[in-house]
Amino acid sequence: QQSCTMAPLRDNKKQVRYVFIMVQDVTDVAVYQQKLIEMNNKDGLTGVFNRRYIQSRLQEEFQRYKRYFRPFSLIIQDIDYFKKVNDTYGHQAGDFILKSFASSVVSNIRKTDIFARYGGEEFCCLLPETRLESALIFAENVRKRVMNSEFNYNGTIIRITISQGISEVDETSVSAESVLREA
């Protein structure tokens, strides 16, 4: 990317005699700025969006619902007995499970869906333009896929299950937070 500045050069009678143009390559600055934005919005371990980002997007979807009545659903996902994974196999294995789970979900959502690590072993999936019935089908597919998966960590097979809560925005929803609480 380039930054360009142009200005007139005047003589002592204030007449324009020349024009100077300064061109700078700001690619490194733009790349750095993009990395900062990404670091602010992404979870460092899993690479998915973080809690701050999903809360912001949830607020946007709620405002869109209030204005246009466009539905959305929200799924909260929690890895069951995650502490036991860390205690039994170690924290590096736990990190592997978090990354593997996140990757599994991301590979099965639409480009318009937002998936984020909400905290610890909790994740959140925001499904714009999705009614509760479709969200339930999606959540059940994720649950079955995870339950039937064998996560191979350095030759050790680790199996996990997840618990999920689901909500859909509707006329009784008073805020984005209320949709989250309901899930």
Side-chain angles (χ1 to χ4, degrees):
Q1 293 184 351
Q2 293 181 345
S3 169
C4 184
T5 305
M6 187 167 92
L9 294 175
R10 300 176 188 275
D11 61 18
N12 52 1
K13 296 179 184 173
K14 302 204 184 220
Q15 296 292 318
V16 175
R17 289 295 202 202
Y18 303 97
V19 175
F20 85 86
I21 299 173
M22 181 173 69
V23 178
Q24 284 182 293
D25 182 359
V26 292
T27 303
D28 290 341
V29 173
V31 167
Y32 181 70
Q33 287 174 332
Q34 188 59 40
K35 283 183 182 178
L36 287 176
I37 290 168
E38 191 170 300
M39 285 172 51
N40 196 37
N41 292 331
K42 297 269 179 118
D43 175 60
L45 177 66
T46 61
V48 299
F49 291 111
N50 61 24
R51 181 179 187 143
R52 180 183 315 114
Y53 183 78
I54 196 130
Q55 286 177 318
S56 171
R57 291 301 306 272
L58 178 59
Q59 199 64 248
E60 288 173 22
E61 286 302 319
F62 186 77
Q63 293 306 318
R64 190 178 342 275
Y65 171 77
K66 287 295 185 189
R67 184 167 184 179
Y68 302 112
F69 303 102
R70 303 303 307 165
F72 70 87
S73 292
L74 186 71
I75 304 171
I76 298 288
Q77 301 160 316
D78 186 84
I79 299 174
D80 298 328
Y81 309 107
F82 186 72
K83 183 180 182 321
K84 185 177 177 185
V85 171
N86 279 337
D87 291 348
T88 304
Y89 304 104
H91 289 276
Q92 290 167 331
D95 289 350
F96 172 78
I97 293 297
L98 292 171
K99 289 188 270 190
S100 298
F101 171 74
S103 177
S104 172
V105 175
V106 166
S107 67
N108 287 284
I109 61 174
R110 304 169 301 180
K111 290 188 186 307
T112 55
D113 298 334
I114 297 105
F115 181 69
R117 185 171 178 199
Y118 199 70
E121 70 277 5
E122 284 185 329
F123 292 83
C124 190
C125 195
L126 177 60
L127 307 168
E129 303 288 331
T130 305
R131 296 265 178 216
L132 186 62
E133 298 78 25
S134 296
L136 284 165
I137 292 168
F138 172 76
E140 181 61 9
N141 288 337
V142 170
R143 187 193 67 76
K144 285 179 182 175
R145 190 172 38 260
V146 169
M147 182 181 71
N148 294 322
S149 293
E150 294 181 339
F151 298 94
N152 186 337
Y153 177 71
N154 294 337
T156 300
I157 301 300
I158 303 171
R159 299 181 71 102
I160 62 169
T161 58
I162 59 172
S163 298
Q164 302 177 101
I166 306 171
S167 65
E168 177 186 2
V169 68
D170 62 26
E171 62 279 348
T172 65
S173 303
V174 295
S175 66
E177 292 76 27
S178 69
V179 178
L180 186 62
R181 273 193 308 275
E182 187 178 327

